[in-house]
Amino acid sequence: MTEPRTLLAADLDSQTLRVVRAIADTGSITAAAARLGYSQPAVSQTVRRLEQRLGMPVLTRVPRGALLTEAGDILARHAATVLRSIDSAAEELAKLAGLRTGWVRIAAFPSASSTIVPRLIERMSADYPGLRFRYIEAEPPEAVQTVRDHTADIALTFSYPGDPDDPHGASAAGLTATPLWREDMILILRRDAGAGLSPDASPLALDSLAGAGWIAGCPRCRGHLLHLCAAHGFTPSIDYETDNVSAVLAMVEAGLGVALLPSLALASVPLPANVVARHPATPDSRTVHLVSAEASHRVPAIAATIAAIDALDTSAWGLATARS
Amino acid sequence: MTEPRTLLAADLDSQTLRVVRAIADTGSITAAAARLGYSQPAVSQTVRRLEQRLGMPVLTRVPRGALLTEAGDILARHAATVLRSIDSAAEELAKLAGLRTGWVRIAAFPSASSTIVPRLIERMSADYPGLRFRYIEAEPPEAVQTVRDHTADIALTFSYPGDPDDPHGASAAGLTATPLWREDMILILRRDAGAGLSPDASPLALDSLAGAGWIAGCPRCRGHLLHLCAAHGFTPSIDYETDNVSAVLAMVEAGLGVALLPSLALASVPLPANVVARHPATPDSRTVHLVSAEASHRVPAIAATIAAIDALDTSAWGLATARS
DNA sequence: TCGGCGGCATAACACCGGGTTATGCTGGGC
DNA sequence: GCCCAGCATAACCCGGTGTTATGCCGCCGA
């Protein structure tokens, strides 16, 4: 004769409620067991355990089945609410799993904003109409930081060869950084500036521009330019600094200098008539990376987005698959 | 790498939801564990199991705690509903257990309707204002049947000594029948009828009424009368039959005959002026029983009612505690 | 920059809740 | 009076869900 301690909500788990509800619906333990896919004793014992936890009977056994007691009625009534809520939770989760809902937050560098990102989101939205997206434009270090602090799920970054703080530095945390594409660096100069140097569309020796004025962009891009020129034996005179690609082109067009731009930056703005793009004689490139939290790969919407990034056709932007 | 099968609602038990909710509230696994009274690994593992059932992460681990993912958000949101519902079920059950709510259905024989039953319900209502009662008047066999088929929780019955179908016959089922009180049988006759026989208030030999006309009530009462008279060597002439006590008294008053009534029957109607009640010289009694379903004794409201019946002061009705 | 600390994960283990099959009992209907 | 439907019990088994002990990692403060 165990002392019936005070009732705890912990005594009521959803499994038990499911059983009570099945009995209420079917009117017998045996039928409830059949409906739930259990053996009859399983249900019988579940009820018995419940009853001894509650300290009072939940159902009265009658010759052809079982009737709920008042306590059983209470349980069955609330079971409806509980199970309905659990079912709808399961349904929402199934929608997440089935990519019929979900958010994906993306961070990327400026020149991706007008190329890769819109194409990606367009594609994903077409394939999975339920998914929603957020986008934050950020330079690589900040973009990685957004992933690290869970402000974004996915970051697109770039790194120059030999870059000390390239995105791989992030992999120490739970982050992964995988190279996506190799992006050619292209020299931008006024048509007449390079006129005497070599035929129009052919590669151009970098050091032939040693004496030119230079227009540079973000700090890391400027750093790369300095590094690259040093390897070619000169120090560029960087006279103008701007991140703005249109501004760079206008400056070049105005004859203020030359620039070294990644091909993505050129993909979304038309080249002014008397401005030309020439590959350096010794090819130069940077690499676009995808940075994401390891754990997030199990989030269906994020995994699908990553897959879509991999599947993007980037040939129009001058991107080549990265060999890592 | 287990294949993430489709999500089942069965994967979501209330215990897990409780954990998710605690994490959502506290912001860390450790704090949630403390709040739930678990060890930290218990919660950690609960989450891990949940995640592998869902096939997607539920929370993202951050340096100083954990953040919910979208899936975790869904769970936490529904957990609120589920747990609220479970809590309110527990609360209602606690009210049942605490006798602050509940129904008790009573069946009893007619002469209890105007004596024991109102007193009992009055008493119970005073002690437990939340309890509600239903009452059905029924002769013993029917009253036992109401308990058997769960139309009533408690039946008050009576049985005459040697009664073949007394309530004990019911004990074969899950029913119990316990004797409560011994109820004296009393002879009712007109003052002048017994005048020459013995002093007014003294016991009266039954066979002194052998020649009188008799007024009898319910079938079992009539049966008892026949049995009793046979033991005294005569067969009564039963001229009138009615269950109605007032009618019996009026008939006696009118000189139509004499009657043998249980003391409870006399408790609620005044004896007409020229009608007297006399004990038989050889005392005769019947026994009042309580019949109830074994299992119902664990129902608090019913147990309390039975206790209240035991505690009733029945001296005013001429009932003596039964010796079983 | 290094040690302390807060927080999570993992390992190893124990328990019992909750399932199974086999079987018995009871009450009702043909 | 026998058969059948339905519930209970026994005996057993497994895995979910706790426990403690321990390790790793990232942050913070001296």
Side-chain angles (χ1 to χ4, degrees):
Chain A
M1 205 56 73
T2 54
E3 180 58 25
R5 64 185 167 66
T6 59
L7 174 71
L8 257 19
D11 292 332
L12 305 175
D13 60 310
S14 54
Q15 181 61 9
T16 303
L17 291 178
R18 210 177 291 279
V19 167
V20 170
R21 176 138 193 80
I23 295 174
D25 288 349
T26 62
S28 92
I29 289 181
T30 301
R35 181 163 115 171
L36 296 171
Y38 291 149
S39 65
Q40 170 264 318
V43 174
S44 181
Q45 290 177 104
T46 298
V47 171
R48 186 163 56 80
R49 282 190 300 266
L50 172 62
E51 287 179 330
Q52 65 195 27
R53 277 191 302 234
L54 300 188
M56 66 185 93
V58 166
L59 39 91
T60 63
R61 282 68 171 173
V62 296
R64 288 292 178 208
L67 279 167
L68 295 188
T69 63
E70 210 173 346
D73 254 352
I74 291 174
L75 291 171
R77 187 152 29 84
H78 287 87
T81 308
V82 168
L83 299 178
R84 194 177 327 120
S85 193
I86 286 183
D87 284 348
S88 77
E91 191 181 338
E92 276 196 54
L93 290 172
K95 287 174 70 176
L96 265 190
L99 295 169
R100 296 194 302 281
T101 189
W103 282 97
V104 181
R105 298 161 307 168
I106 301 169
F109 51 92
S111 60
S113 297
S114 51
T115 51
I116 301 170
V117 171
R119 193 72 53 88
L120 169 65
I121 294 178
E122 175 189 26
R123 179 75 217 200
M124 286 293 291
S125 296
D127 288 350
Y128 310 108
L131 295 190
R132 310 296 297 272
F133 297 85
R134 284 192 189 287
Y135 177 64
I136 300 170
E137 183 175 290
E139 291 292 333
E142 292 75 34
V144 170
Q145 186 55 31
T146 61
V147 174
R148 191 190 304 278
D149 65 18
H150 303 98
T151 303
D153 303 305
I154 288 171
L156 292 176
T157 66
F158 59 81
S159 70
Y160 291 100
D163 200 340
D165 63 346
D166 82 23
H168 297 86
S171 51
L175 304 189
T176 54
T178 59
L180 290 173
W181 306 292
R182 191 170 43 74
E183 180 186 10
D184 287 336
M185 298 302 293
I186 297 171
L187 290 166
I188 304 297
L189 56 163
R190 200 151 75 163
R191 190 174 303 274
D192 56 4
L197 302 173
S198 63
D200 236 29
S202 64
L204 187 63
L206 187 62
D207 51 11
S208 66
L209 297 172
W214 289 80
I215 307 163
C218 71
R220 298 173 73 237
C221 304
R222 186 168 67 252
H224 170 65
L225 178 62
L226 291 170
H227 185 76
L228 185 67
C229 293
H232 283 78
F234 70 96
T235 301
S237 160
I238 298 178
D239 301 327
Y240 304 94
E241 298 189 13
T242 175
D243 276 349
N244 185 329
V245 177
S246 300
V248 170
L249 294 179
M251 289 178 175
V252 171
E253 184 180 21
L256 305 186
V258 301
L260 182 69
L261 290 181
S263 60
L264 263 184
L266 296 172
S268 55
V269 274
L271 226 48
N274 60 339
V275 170
V276 296
R278 315 269 301 262
H279 278 84
T282 55
D284 183 36
S285 67
R286 65 183 196 182
T287 307
V288 177
H289 297 264
L290 182 143
V291 176
S292 57
E294 179 84 47
S296 71
H297 295 190
R298 309 221 58 189
V299 176
I302 297 174
T305 305
I306 292 175
I309 290 171
D310 273 334
L312 274 185
D313 175 10
T314 57
S315 55
W317 302 317
L319 300 183
T321 300
R323 326 266 167 186
S324 67
Chain B
M1 204 55 73
T2 54
E3 180 58 25
R5 61 180 172 67
T6 59
L7 174 71
L8 258 18
D11 291 332
L12 304 175
D13 60 309
S14 56
Q15 182 61 9
T16 303
L17 291 178
R18 208 178 292 279
V19 167
V20 170
R21 177 139 192 78
I23 295 173
D25 289 348
T26 62
S28 93
I29 289 181
T30 301
R35 180 163 116 172
L36 296 171
Y38 291 148
S39 66
Q40 171 265 318
V43 174
S44 180
Q45 291 178 103
T46 297
V47 172
R48 186 163 55 81
R49 282 191 300 266
L50 173 63
E51 287 179 330
Q52 63 195 28
R53 277 191 302 234
L54 300 189
M56 65 185 95
V58 165
L59 38 92
T60 63
R61 282 68 172 175
V62 295
R64 288 292 178 209
L67 281 168
L68 296 188
T69 63
E70 209 174 345
D73 254 352
I74 291 174
L75 289 172
R77 187 150 33 81
H78 287 86
T81 308
V82 169
L83 298 178
R84 193 176 329 117
S85 194
I86 286 183
D87 284 347
S88 76
E91 191 181 337
E92 277 195 55
L93 290 172
K95 286 173 71 176
L96 265 190
L99 296 169
R100 297 193 302 282
T101 189
W103 282 97
V104 181
R105 298 161 306 168
I106 301 169
F109 50 93
S111 60
S113 296
S114 52
T115 52
I116 300 170
V117 171
R119 192 71 54 87
L120 169 65
I121 294 179
E122 175 188 27
R123 179 74 218 201
M124 286 295 291
S125 296
D127 288 351
Y128 309 109
L131 294 190
R132 309 295 299 273
F133 296 85
R134 284 193 190 287
Y135 177 64
I136 300 169
E137 185 176 287
E139 291 292 333
E142 291 76 34
V144 169
Q145 186 54 32
T146 61
V147 175
R148 190 191 305 276
D149 64 18
H150 303 99
T151 304
D153 302 304
I154 289 171
L156 291 177
T157 66
F158 60 81
S159 70
Y160 291 102
D163 201 339
D165 63 346
D166 80 25
H168 295 86
S171 51
L175 303 188
T176 54
T178 60
L180 290 172
W181 306 292
R182 191 171 42 74
E183 181 187 10
D184 287 336
M185 299 301 292
I186 297 170
L187 290 165
I188 305 296
L189 57 165
R190 200 152 76 163
R191 189 174 303 275
D192 55 5
L197 303 173
S198 62
D200 238 28
S202 63
L204 187 65
L206 186 64
D207 50 13
S208 68
L209 297 174
W214 287 81
I215 307 162
C218 71
R220 298 173 73 239
C221 304
R222 188 169 65 253
H224 172 65
L225 179 62
L226 290 171
H227 186 76
L228 185 68
C229 293
H232 283 77
F234 71 97
T235 301
S237 156
I238 297 177
D239 302 328
Y240 305 95
E241 297 188 15
T242 174
D243 277 348
N244 185 328
V245 177
S246 299
V248 171
L249 294 179
M251 288 179 176
V252 171
E253 184 182 22
L256 305 186
V258 300
L260 182 70
L261 290 180
S263 60
L264 264 183
L266 295 171
S268 55
V269 275
L271 226 48
N274 60 340
V275 171
V276 294
R278 313 271 300 264
H279 277 85
T282 54
D284 183 36
S285 67
R286 66 184 195 181
T287 306
V288 176
H289 297 264
L290 183 143
V291 176
S292 57
E294 181 85 44
S296 70
H297 295 190
R298 309 221 58 187
V299 176
I302 296 174
T305 305
I306 292 174
I309 291 172
D310 273 333
L312 274 185
D313 175 10
T314 57
S315 55
W317 301 318
L319 300 183
T321 302
R323 326 267 167 185
S324 67

